[in-house]
Amino acid sequence: MFLKSLATAGAMAILTTSTAMACEISARVSIVGNEFPAIQTVGAGAQACTGAEVTTNLTADHQKINLPGMQGNPAEYTSAIIANSSIVALINEDVIRPLDDLVAKHGQDLAKTQLITIDGKVMAVAFMANAQHLVYRSDVLEQIGVEPPKTYEELLAAAQMIREKGIMENPVGGAFASGWNLAEEFVNMFIGYDGDFFVAGTAQPSVNSEAGIKALETMKALSEYMNPDFLTHDSNATNAEFRAGNVALMNMWGSRAATMTEAEGVPQEVIDGFAIAGPMTVGGGSVPASTLWWDGWTVAKNISDEEAEATFVAMMNGIRPEILSDAEVAKQAVWLIPGYEPTEAAVGVFAAANSGTVPYPMLPYMGLMHTALGNELSDFMQGKESAEQALADVEAAYTAAAKENGFLQ
Amino acid sequence: MKHRTFFWFFLPTGLAMLLFIAAPIVSVVMQSMFAPHEAVLSVVENCGPFGCTQETAIDQQATQALRDAAPLGRFVGLDIYLDRGHLAVNEVRAAWQSAEGFGDFLSGLSNLPFYRAMAFTLTYTFTVTPLLIVLGLMIALAVNTLQARIKGLVIFFSLLPMIVTPLVGSLILFWMIDSRGVLGSAIQWLASDPGLSLKASTGLTWAMLIVYGVWHSAPFAFVVFYAGLQTLPRDQIEAAQIDGATRWHQVRFVVIPHLMPLVTFVALIQLMDNFRVFEPIVGFNASAHATSLSWIIFNDMGGETRQLSAAAATSVITIVGVAILLSPVLVRTWRDFRSKH
């Protein structure tokens, strides 16, 4: 489905590129978003518009400032670049506007799959997809005579062989830093075990289940093969470990795959052996232990219609199909833009999309669950408490937060 | 000063204090007693690049009506102070009832975020503050005996740890103490344990944060004490020397009593500062092992779903904590003041 829709979108793009016009706007545009290369490209594209000022604030702290920046009237930011997890915070507080009229007027080039509709209203326009998947050293796997793992069980077996043969002491990598990263790894693993975060249709937590315990046990087993500092390793630090040649197998973001070996001082065998595969399943499950993500942009509610239109036009210019003619830009992400042709770095994300990986849950209270997971799981990972205790703590912490925010009585 | 003159002299300061200190505190206290309205949820269809799903979402119109009716939110009184994220009254009671001894109770307590944060914060405050005062005094005494020619240079280098922003300073050290970093490898070599990692052990992480805290704040104490040493009464020192006092005796009986008001000042400022310990925890990525009240506030505000009421309650508790910590010193200062006038 994913590939097919992209292919038809590609055909459409060839028809529409010739009609591209210069971008002309008449009102203020102000964008807030994350800072990775693909978003920098989109921001620069929006800034190419003439006629009024376009400012961007692209920072890793975007999640802390986008909501307050859009709550004022008029809003400071006319557009926030978000993902399927972070759009929820903006929707919860009702600070973004439906885009149906603007899509009808200026969005002819958009593929239907780019439109994020909630309750029948277009609330965001997606421009890239992302997922975590296997990244490995093919030379090391050849050395031990093992195929790239398709399940976490195979990965653990391979890790053991690598250690036993004395090739690497800690062959597994992973962004297990306490907080958001650790929680994200649990979310992946829990979904892989077919777990449900909440009792169906309610905000009641249900992570303290068999799936939860199995997910934690698998994470613990993985951590036995990781650098002992793993609770402080975010994706930057994990990448550094891989680049230094200390890691042979890891679950890593697709958006980082293209630049994984592009740093100074990366040994030649790491560059040559670098390979990508799809996300792994766990415990005999059929759904990969990973989540699918999209990144997209929104338009603020508390701004004039003129500013909203200018913002829409500028953002459309940021994601116009022509940007893909630059090979560097095409490599930056798995673009959802019409005309995108997958590069080598995109293999993992495509494999994730095609193997039934589920999107990160877009529930109003999922953010609270993610925070509770990030805070409460590190005790278990350090061996200070049992899996049941850790999951009971998660549920207790989540329940207190959900009561405060009015999701639970 | 006449009362009238004093009134006009103090008015701008008083107004500024009201506006920038009292008003925010009142607002934070208010915020901690109100929570967001009950969310009105409905099931809607969400579509995107990966297909359509039925998802729960907030019913905006119904929620807006609730908000318009009571803009401050739901009044919850002390509920948030008592919930698991803060004083955790029910959880503490349960831990007390089920505990098989005091140690067991303490371990139950340390499983609760507030008490865990307090354990680290208090340990940090009460080890770092005395250590940095002692170290600062030692540096000041040492520098004071130096030749005037090299003094300036030494003072500059002694102040460097304080000049570096805490976040940057801790980040630099963070990489040095990594198990593959300069200091980390040195410690592994010294302990002859190649698997030793400062970041993987709670005890070592605490020690590291405390060492960092002392390293970072000692220059402040040094500079204050060094300034105090310049006002040392020469004749007293000379008299002591004539009486045959050793250098240690001079320090013990002349220098330290002379510097005592400054020690109180440094202790006051540093108790306050250390109780709010925050940057090193973020810089060292140490939240798995050590948290503080400030870190909890940051964590509540920084997630994708903000918990403003929880953050406000923790802030009020922090203010109360600082007040309790400072009260002995304040009482002492007040007594000194009274006895002199």
Side-chain angles (χ1 to χ4, degrees), chain B residues 158-225:
Chain B
S158 316
L159 288 181
L160 272 181
M162 197 173 68
I163 294 170
V164 180
T165 309
L167 205 54
V168 175
S170 50
L171 269 178
I172 294 169
L173 272 180
F174 177 74
W175 289 113
M176 288 170 83
I177 54 118
D178 188 89
S179 52
R180 300 189 207 283
V182 183
L183 290 178
S185 308
I187 292 168
Q188 284 173 356
W189 179 77
L190 279 174
S192 29
D193 175 4
L196 185 71
S197 162
L198 285 175
K199 295 176 185 171
S201 134
T202 301
L204 289 175
T205 303
W206 283 33
M208 176 179 82
L209 288 169
I210 287 167
V211 168
Y212 169 80
V214 175
W215 175 79
H216 179 258
S217 313
F220 171 75
F222 151 66
V223 132
V224 174
F225 294 144

Side-chain angles (χ1 to χ4, degrees), chain B residues 18-99:
Chain B
L18 227 83
L19 196 63
F20 297 118
I21 301 177
I25 291 179
V26 170
S27 135
V28 169
V29 172
M30 285 270 284
Q31 175 108 59
S32 68
M33 305 225 189
F34 286 89
H37 290 291
E38 305 282 354
V40 188
L41 300 175
S42 59
V43 175
V44 297
E45 193 185 45
N46 287 357
C47 293
F50 317 121
C52 295
T53 48
Q54 296 288 326
E55 296 267 30
T56 306
I58 290 182
D59 183 336
Q60 287 305 340
Q61 277 179 339
T63 310
Q64 193 56 43
L66 279 177
R67 279 185 191 153
D68 291 341
L72 269 176
R74 193 160 45 103
F75 181 75
V76 291
L78 294 178
D79 280 7
I80 293 177
Y81 288 92
L82 305 180
D83 75 7
R84 184 184 182 274
H86 302 89
L87 298 174
V89 186
N90 292 329
E91 286 77 5
V92 173
R93 194 182 299 131
W96 181 254
Q97 279 160 357
S98 68

